[in-house]
């Protein structure tokens, strides 16, 4: 009540921000008449004028009013679309690095041109990020005339482009691309062996279209580059056959909220009997246990025509948020293979991660990030806490006329579907177009069967009919047209109404079930009432719906109360209170999902810090092969110091410790043992021993280098050995961290323990890299080094790598016996701080 009173008295924070921005709109509008009088040549020359202004010390904010006015005038001349004032407000919000929530049909694509052009004037490039290749291509071609008129180059990144074409695209002033293409290019660049082969330049400014879809819905889906792991498919088949004997509640328990399944003692006994083993949880049977659990998940938690479809002898993932097939994506760590075994299709080889990054961490690489969508305010807290992005709700150009009716709630699904049919029939008779929203392919096909039985003509749009999407959407706004659709029709779908349809009441949205996320429901509603059109929406729900059954809590009690009150299965509740209760349930689910994403990010931040160190290390080596000798000298000193710390206890090493140390150096370098032993015996203190021996090894290596006449050859060889060693170690390190993450959940403070263990593993990896590089260098036959052959081999490897966006899945546990790292030890991430003040945090 107090908050409501204050809002009425002083206005909301959003209203105050919009009011403040309107002063800038007045400045932009002041240029309207002067710009209309400019010739095309005079108007196009404004770009050079703006760049000159920036070079002389002005900021982007200084030139914003004039630059926005120029874009609006050019848009009017080229594509005959003039930005509304509310779109100018949206453009300012995007430029300021915030999220613009703009209702469906308000022209986000045109709005983006303002901020993209302004920020491209710096010469550092502007990116517009979309959810699929089709939208990237459509929007770039649609807006291209504006940019080209102003002398700006524009490009569109597509899946099948070569590296040279990608380089050209990234060098354009304005680039339209999908989130996955951008992320995968970042990963691939950091696997290359020549800096000139990198396709991306520095990430300066990006606008993420449908920002809630990309930065929230897909946040738990890491981008993964993987290679085949060459494992047998026999275990998948035998595990699949074995779990089919298990019975729910007797042999395993299911947690639908957490989407997890756990074997009971009875289930363990059955598996041990089936595979003729004594202890399923013994170390030697961990791989078998992993396959059994993945097979059980595949059968219990993943449903055909809901989570995936089987098509052309393949298991294809269905995106729960968009209803579309995620082409080329596979579940990781054997889960996809378990589904293939379940569905009796060809089992592809399991893959091993070569490089990965979450979308959360990729987009935080941009110096300035903004976004736009029709539904962001419900996730405002997460956007601010994770990305430091504020959400600003932009007013609509015309008043919203859509009527959002209260939900209708039934006892059973059967009663709900019966009422849906009657409502659809009544709307059809009066010529009103109807869009029926469902959350799964399975439900869309069930409703189609029910409508067919009732003799009601209709179309079905789901992942199985995606080829006809454009045709179905093109006719969905015609009088009396009935369209059943999954979430495919929820985001970015523009249903055009005929005048007869508008006269009949506009598009009627009929939702058959609430989604876990309110944003998805709002996206469905947003198909109606675009740009001031009439429209209506209503959701038909039942107490048997998954959302109510799994997350509602107390639905059985509610049923009992309603029955006690004399209600029957045929009765219906139309209650704003019930609608609010359902929205409260959705909020609980959203908070649960937020916590899951937050936890993923906390764990991934550890990997992200280490990935940054490795990628910067690689890049430093690539930037100048002539300076690699400096890195070699540095790692010789680091490796020597680390070996002494491992092999000596006191400040003054014993003769036995000196002997072991000499033997280790001999094995690492291949230098004569007698020569090394003589060197180490001359020094008493460990600190002096480390420095003097490192200097000795550096001089010995330089002698080896002088024997090679071709200096360029040895420099290239050193560079390649460095990179190859780093990449092999990093690949194994990522696998170790995956295993560590899975096995650490039972500890008292898993995240803190994970940070400690991950740091230890990282330190071990860096030590291993140093040792292996030194070993390879001292044993290298530079005369046999063939740069062309190595480059050819590396190119083939990169071409063979397949890119997968992997869903969350289980990993094997890992036991580790490496020594612990002291809290006062130097942090090996390169910060120069102590471990307790760096990565341990």
């Amino acid at each position: 009540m107090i908050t409501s009173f204050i809002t009425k008295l002083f206005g909301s924070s959003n209203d105050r921000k919009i009011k403040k921005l309107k002063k800038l709109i007045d400045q932009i509008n002041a240029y309207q008449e002067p710009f209309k009088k400019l010739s095309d040549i005079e108007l196009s020359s404004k770009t050079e004028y703006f760049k000159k202004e920036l070079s002389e010390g002005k900021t982007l904010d200084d030139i914003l009013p004039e630059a926005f006015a120029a874009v609006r005038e050019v848009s009017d001349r080229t594509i005959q679309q003039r930005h509304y004032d509310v779109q100018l407000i949206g453009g300012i919000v995007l430029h300021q690095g915030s999220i613009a929530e703009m209702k469906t049909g308000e022209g986000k694509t045109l709005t983006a041109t303002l901020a993209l052009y302004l920020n491209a004037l710096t010469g550092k490039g502007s990116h517009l990020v979309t959810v699929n290749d089709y939208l990237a291509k459509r929007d770039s071609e649609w807006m291209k005339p504006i940019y080209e008129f102003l002398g700006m180059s524009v490009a569109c990144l597509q899946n099948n482009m070569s590296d040279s074409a990608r380089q050209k695209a990234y060098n354009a002033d304005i680039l339209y691309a999908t989130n996955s293409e951008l992320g995968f290019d970042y990963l691939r660049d950091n696997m290359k062996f020549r800096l000139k082969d990198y396709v991306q330049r520095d990430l300066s400014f990006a606008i993420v279209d449908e920002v809630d879809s990309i930065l929230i819905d897909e946040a738990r889906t890491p981008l993964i580059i993987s290679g085949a792991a060459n494992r047998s498919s026999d275990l998948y088949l035998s595990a699949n056959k074995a779990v089919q004997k298990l019975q729910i509640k007797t042999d395993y328990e299911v947690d639908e909220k957490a989407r997890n399944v756990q074997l009971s003692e009875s289930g363990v006994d059955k598996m041990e009997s089936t595979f003729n083993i004594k202890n399923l949880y013994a170390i030697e049977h961990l791989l078998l246990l992993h396959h059994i659990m993945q097979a059980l998940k595949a059968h219990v938690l993943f449903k055909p025509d809901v989570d995936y479809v089987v098509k052309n002898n393949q298991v294809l993932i269905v995106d729960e948020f968009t209803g579309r097939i995620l082409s080329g994506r596979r579940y990781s760590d054997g889960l996809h293979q378990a589904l293939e075994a379940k569905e009796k299709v060809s089992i592809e080889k399991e893959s091993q991660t070569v490089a990965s990054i979450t979308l959360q961490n990729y987009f935080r690489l941009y110096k300035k990030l903004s976004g736009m969508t029709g539904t962001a305010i419900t996730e405002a807290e997460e956007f601010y806490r994770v990305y430091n992005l504020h959400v600003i709700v932009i007013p609509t150009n015309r008043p919203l006329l859509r009527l959002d009716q209260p939900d209708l709630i039934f006892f059973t699904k059967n009663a709900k579907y019966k009422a849906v049919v009657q409502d659809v029939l009544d709307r059809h008779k009066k010529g009103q177009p109807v869009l029926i929203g469902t959350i799964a392919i399975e439900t869309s096909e069930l409703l189609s069967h029910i409508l067919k039985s009732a003799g009601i003509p209709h179309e079905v749009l789901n992942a199985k009919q995606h080829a006809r999407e454009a045709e179905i959407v093109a006719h969905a706004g015609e009088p009396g047209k009935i369209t059943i659709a999954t979430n495919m029709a929820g985001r970015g779908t523009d249903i055009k109404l005929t005048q007869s349809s508008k006269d009949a009441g506009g598009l009627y949205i009929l939702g058959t079930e609430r989604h876990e996320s309110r944003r998805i429901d709002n996206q469905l509603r947003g198909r109606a009432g675009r740009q001031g059109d009439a429209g209506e929406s209503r959701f038909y729900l039942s107490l048997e719906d998954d959302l109510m059954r799994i997350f509602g809590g107390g639905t059985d009690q509610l049923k009992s109360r309603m029955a006690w009150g004399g209600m029957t299965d045929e009765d219906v509740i139309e209650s704003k209170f019930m609608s609010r209760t359902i929205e409260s349930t959705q909020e609980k689910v959203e908070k649960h999902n937020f916590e899951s994403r937050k936890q993923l990010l906390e764990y991934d931040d550890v990997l992200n810090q280490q990935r940054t160190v490795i990628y910067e290390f690689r890049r430093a080596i690539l930037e100048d092969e002539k300076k690699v000798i400096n890195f070699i000298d540095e790692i010789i000193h680091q490796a020597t110091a680390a070996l002494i710390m491992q092999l000596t206890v006191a400040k003054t090493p014993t003769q036995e410790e000196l002997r072991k140390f000499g033997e280790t150096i001999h094995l690492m370098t291949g230098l004569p043992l007698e020569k090394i032993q003589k060197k180490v015996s001359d020094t008493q203190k460990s600190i002096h021993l480390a420095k003097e021996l490192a200097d000795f090894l550096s001089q010995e290596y330089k002698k080896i280098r002088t024997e090679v006449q071709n200096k360029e050859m040895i420099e290239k060889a050193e560079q390649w050995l460095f990179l190859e060693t780093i990449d092999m170690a990093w690949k194994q390190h990522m696998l170790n961290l995956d295993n560590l993450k899975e096995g650490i959940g039972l500890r008292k403070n898993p995240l803190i323990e994970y940070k400690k263990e991950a740091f230890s593993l990282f330190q071990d990896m860096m030590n291993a890299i140093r040792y292996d590089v030194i070993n390879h260098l001292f044993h290298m036959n530079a005369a046999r080094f063939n740069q062309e052959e190595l480059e050819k081999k590396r190119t083939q490897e990169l071409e063979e790598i397949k890119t997968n966006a992997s869903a969350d899945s289980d990993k094997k546990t890992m036991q580790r016996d490496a020594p612990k790292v002291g809290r006062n030890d130097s942090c090996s991430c390169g910060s120069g701080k102590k471990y307790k003040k760096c990565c341990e945090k």
Side-chain angles (χ1 to χ4, degrees):
M1 290 291 291
I2 294 174
T3 305
S4 176
F5 172 74
I6 292 173
T7 299
K8 288 179 180 178
L9 188 61
F10 297 105
S12 70
S13 171
N14 193 87
D15 291 340
R16 290 195 299 273
K17 288 175 182 176
I18 296 297
K19 188 176 181 180
K20 187 176 179 181
L21 293 179
K22 284 181 178 177
K23 295 178 181 178
L24 268 176
I25 304 305
D26 293 338
Q27 294 178 38
I28 297 169
N29 287 333
Y31 287 99
Q32 179 176 326
E33 292 306 318
F35 275 23
K36 282 187 178 297
K37 297 174 182 178
L38 295 177
S39 67
D40 286 356
I41 294 175
E42 289 172 326
L43 187 58
S44 64
S45 67
K46 280 292 179 181
T47 295
E48 289 306 315
Y49 165 74
F50 293 141
K51 287 181 177 179
K52 185 173 181 293
E53 292 276 278
L54 292 173
S55 69
E56 292 176 352
K58 286 198 174 181
T59 67
L60 292 179
D61 289 340
D62 292 333
I63 65 171
L64 184 150
E66 195 171 357
F68 273 30
V71 174
R72 178 162 65 173
E73 178 60 27
V74 170
S75 176
D76 198 13
R77 294 188 191 188
T78 54
I79 64 173
Q80 290 73 54
Q81 291 190 25
R82 184 180 179 278
H83 298 78
Y84 300 120
D85 283 359
V86 291
Q87 289 174 314
L88 296 177
I89 293 174
I92 297 168
V93 168
L94 294 175
H95 162 65
Q96 291 177 344
S98 295
I99 293 172
E101 177 176 289
M102 301 178 69
K103 299 301 180 187
T104 302
E106 290 297 301
K108 293 190 293 291
T109 306
L110 187 63
T111 299
T113 58
L114 299 160
L116 288 171
Y117 171 75
L118 178 64
N119 284 270
L121 290 169
T122 63
K124 297 176 182 178
S126 296
H127 294 174
L128 191 287
V129 187
T130 68
V131 292
N132 59 55
D133 280 345
Y134 165 74
L135 289 176
K137 187 176 181 182
R138 184 200 72 178
D139 293 352
S140 64
E141 291 178 350
W142 184 11
M143 299 296 118
K144 183 184 284 188
I146 300 174
Y147 304 127
E148 290 186 339
F149 186 103
L150 288 163
M152 288 282 186
S153 57
V154 59
C156 174
L157 202 62
Q158 295 285 281
N159 180 262
N160 57 357
M161 290 172 68
S162 65
D163 272 8
S164 59
R166 286 175 183 272
Q167 281 181 333
K168 186 178 179 181
Y170 278 107
N171 285 325
D173 295 309
I174 294 159
L175 175 67
Y176 284 73
T178 65
N179 53 294
S180 57
E181 288 300 317
L182 292 167
F184 281 134
D185 278 340
Y186 171 76
L187 293 176
R188 281 190 288 257
D189 274 356
N190 285 285
M191 295 170 62
K192 290 173 179 172
F193 272 47
R194 296 185 305 183
L195 206 57
K196 67 179 183 180
D197 291 334
Y198 277 43
V199 298
Q200 285 190 344
R201 52 176 170 161
D202 288 343
L203 303 175
S204 179
F205 173 67
I207 299 173
V208 182
D209 191 12
E210 305 297 359
V211 65
D212 54 328
S213 174
I214 292 174
L215 296 189
I216 291 185
D217 295 341
E218 295 193 36
R220 287 184 293 177
T221 306
L223 298 175
I224 292 179
I225 291 182
S226 59
N230 295 320
R231 293 176 186 166
S232 170
S233 62
D234 292 344
L235 261 181
Y236 295 112
L237 295 171
S238 54
N240 177 70
K241 185 177 179 182
V243 299
Q244 292 181 58
K245 301 174 184 177
L246 303 177
Q247 296 180 343
I248 189 169
K249 293 187 178 179
T250 302
D251 300 318
Y252 62 88
E253 296 288 338
V254 180
D255 184 345
E256 289 187 282
K257 284 186 181 181
R259 280 184 69 81
N260 198 14
V261 61
Q262 189 65 46
L263 284 173
S264 65
E265 288 187 18
S266 170
V268 172
D269 290 342
K270 285 185 180 179
M271 291 298 96
E272 289 173 345
S273 174
T274 299
F275 290 98
N276 194 26
I277 58 176
K278 290 184 178 179
N279 182 4
L280 181 61
Y281 291 94
I283 292 175
E284 61 268 26
H285 299 313
L286 285 180
L287 183 62
L288 173 62
L289 173 63
H290 172 72
H291 278 74
I292 288 171
M293 295 310 298
Q294 295 297 65
L296 190 57
K297 285 182 178 180
H299 277 273
V300 177
L301 300 177
F302 291 80
K303 299 176 183 178
D305 291 342
V306 178
D307 301 293
Y308 65 90
V309 296
V310 179
K311 191 173 182 180
N312 299 328
N313 197 39
Q314 289 181 305
V315 171
L316 305 173
I317 301 173
V318 175
D319 188 333
E320 65 169 308
F321 298 103
T322 66
R324 299 179 186 277
I325 289 175
L326 297 175
S327 180
R329 298 194 184 185
R330 293 175 62 80
Y331 293 113
S332 68
D333 204 31
L335 179 58
H336 210 99
Q337 286 80 359
L339 289 168
E340 288 167 336
K342 169 189 173 183
E343 297 295 340
K344 298 180 175 61
V345 301
S346 300
I347 299 176
E348 292 190 21
K349 289 182 178 179
E350 194 171 330
S351 59
Q352 180 178 352
T353 300
V354 179
S356 74
I357 191 169
T358 60
L359 290 174
Q360 290 168 316
N361 274 320
Y362 173 74
F363 281 106
R364 292 197 296 180
L365 293 171
Y366 279 89
K367 291 181 177 64
K368 183 163 70 173
L369 183 68
S370 62
M372 52 189 188
T373 182
T375 46
I377 197 65
T378 56
E379 312 297 337
E381 180 187 358
E382 183 168 355
F383 278 124
Y384 180 72
R385 288 175 62 180
V386 176
Y387 304 100
N388 197 30
L389 290 170
H390 292 279
V391 177
I392 310 296
V393 181
I394 310 300
T396 56
N397 185 48
R398 296 175 183 172
L400 182 64
L401 300 180
R402 186 186 68 237
L403 180 62
D404 294 327
Q405 301 282 11
D407 298 341
L408 295 180
I409 304 162
F410 298 81
F411 263 34
T412 65
K413 286 185 178 181
N414 285 338
K416 175 179 73 173
Y417 292 141
K418 185 176 178 182
V420 165
V421 170
Q422 187 58 53
D423 192 1
V424 170
L425 188 59
D426 292 342
R427 307 275 177 170
H428 177 65
K429 285 179 180 177
K430 74 171 189 174
Q432 186 175 15
V434 179
L435 176 63
I436 305 173
T438 65
I439 65 172
I441 299 170
E442 181 182 49
T443 313
S444 69
E445 293 182 340
L446 172 63
L447 267 171
S448 177
H449 175 73
I450 294 172
L451 291 187
K452 278 180 184 176
S453 300
I456 302 174
H458 63 277
E459 290 280 6
V460 179
L461 175 59
N462 59 34
K464 292 182 178 180
Q465 282 84 33
H466 65 93
R468 295 186 58 236
E469 179 178 1
E471 177 191 350
I472 293 171
V473 171
H475 297 287
E478 294 175 358
K481 201 74 176 180
I482 311 298
T483 308
I484 301 173
T486 58
N487 295 337
M488 282 180 68
R491 189 182 289 275
T493 305
D494 188 2
I495 297 175
K496 304 290 187 184
L497 300 179
T498 65
Q499 188 57 50
S500 297
S501 296
K502 292 177 182 179
D503 294 340
L507 184 64
Y508 176 51
I509 302 297
L510 193 159
T512 59
E513 199 167 341
R514 288 278 200 160
H515 196 274
E516 288 181 11
S517 168
R518 288 170 295 168
R519 289 179 296 106
I520 308 302
D521 293 340
N522 292 338
Q523 285 285 352
L524 177 62
R525 277 198 174 110
R527 298 315 99 197
R530 296 165 65 92
Q531 282 293 333
D533 286 343
E536 188 179 350
S537 73
R538 188 192 287 277
F539 279 83
Y540 279 71
L541 313 175
S542 87
L543 298 180
E544 295 177 344
D545 291 346
D546 285 346
L547 180 70
M548 297 296 294
R549 182 177 57 80
I550 298 172
F551 297 100
T555 52
D556 289 338
Q557 186 180 13
L558 183 58
K559 272 188 175 183
S560 299
R561 286 181 180 178
M562 291 165 70
W564 181 79
M567 295 188 65
T568 67
D569 286 358
E570 301 301 317
D571 290 327
V572 60
I573 302 172
E574 181 178 339
S575 164
K576 290 185 177 180
F577 169 76
M578 283 299 298
S579 295
R580 286 195 296 269
T581 300
I582 291 166
E583 288 193 0
S584 175
T585 300
Q586 289 175 308
E587 283 187 57
K588 291 177 184 176
V589 179
E590 287 164 1
K591 286 179 181 177
H592 170 76
N593 291 338
F594 173 38
E595 289 303 318
S596 297
R597 290 189 291 267
K598 181 184 171 188
Q599 185 181 52
L600 173 71
L601 185 61
E602 287 172 338
Y603 279 91
D604 192 62
D605 277 344
V606 177
L607 176 63
N608 194 52
Q609 290 173 11
Q610 298 177 358
R611 176 173 45 234
T612 301
V613 172
I614 288 295
Y615 284 178
E616 287 178 354
F617 190 20
R618 282 186 99 261
R619 189 171 187 112
I621 292 166
L622 280 169
E623 283 175 346
D624 189 352
E625 65 257 21
K626 296 186 184 301
K627 292 183 180 179
V628 173
I629 187 63
N630 297 332
F631 286 111
I632 294 171
D633 189 63
E634 185 180 328
I635 66 163
I636 286 175
H637 281 75
Q638 291 171 342
T640 308
L643 283 172
I644 290 175
M645 287 180 65
Q646 289 176 14
L647 295 173
T648 61
V649 177
K651 288 185 178 181
T652 304
T654 65
Q655 288 300 311
E656 178 62 19
E657 288 172 338
L658 288 174
R659 184 185 64 78
K660 288 182 179 179
F661 183 64
E663 289 175 352
T664 304
I665 294 293
H666 167 65
L667 289 172
M668 182 171 68
T669 63
L671 294 173
L673 182 59
E674 298 80 11
K675 194 173 183 179
I676 297 171
Q677 293 288 17
K678 183 179 185 307
K679 188 69 183 175
V680 298
S681 63
D682 290 341
T683 308
Q684 294 300 313
K685 298 290 184 181
S686 299
I687 187 169
H688 298 145
L689 176 61
K691 185 179 185 309
E692 289 190 18
L693 192 61
D695 290 341
F696 163 71
L697 293 178
S698 293
Q699 291 302 319
E700 289 296 313
Y701 179 67
K702 286 170 183 174
K703 289 178 185 177
I704 295 173
R705 285 182 101 242
T706 58
E707 295 173 5
V708 182
Q709 294 181 348
N710 189 332
K711 297 303 178 188
E712 185 179 351
M713 180 189 294
I714 189 69
E715 288 167 353
K716 282 288 183 186
E718 289 167 343
Q719 188 183 58
W720 276 78
L721 281 172
F722 244 119
L723 296 172
E724 194 72 49
T725 305
I726 290 170
D727 289 352
M728 292 296 291
W730 179 244
K731 182 168 71 172
Q732 182 59 44
H733 181 67
M734 284 191 295
L735 181 61
N736 291 343
L737 286 186
D738 279 344
N739 293 337
L740 172 65
K741 193 187 300 181
E742 179 61 25
I744 212 160
L746 297 177
R747 301 202 192 173
K748 187 176 180 181
N749 297 302
L751 181 60
I752 293 172
E753 291 297 315
Y754 177 76
K755 288 180 178 181
K756 291 179 180 178
E757 292 287 332
F759 173 77
S760 296
L761 288 171
F762 185 74
Q763 192 175 54
D764 291 346
M765 179 194 69
M766 295 302 292
N767 285 333
I769 288 173
R770 295 179 189 117
Y771 184 96
D772 289 345
V773 167
I774 294 169
N775 180 266
H776 292 321
L777 289 171
F778 274 88
H779 291 85
M780 177 177 61
N781 186 342
R784 296 180 61 185
F785 176 81
N786 188 318
Q787 181 187 346
E788 290 185 4
E789 284 298 317
L790 284 172
E791 287 181 359
K792 183 178 179 182
K793 177 189 172 193
R794 187 65 179 177
T795 301
Q796 288 174 344
E797 288 175 359
L798 287 172
E799 287 176 352
E800 288 170 2
I801 287 172
K802 62 180 180 179
T803 55
N804 295 326
S806 161
D808 289 340
S809 61
D810 294 318
K811 305 283 190 281
K812 293 173 288 187
T813 56
M814 182 196 73
Q815 294 189 350
R816 183 179 175 278
D817 56 5
K820 299 289 182 184
V821 179
R823 297 179 71 246
N824 289 309
D825 290 346
S826 295
C827 190
S828 66
C829 74
S831 66
K833 300 178 182 177
K834 290 183 178 181
Y835 168 55
K836 67 182 179 183
K837 293 186 177 181
C838 189
C839 289
E840 184 183 22
K841 287 186 176 181

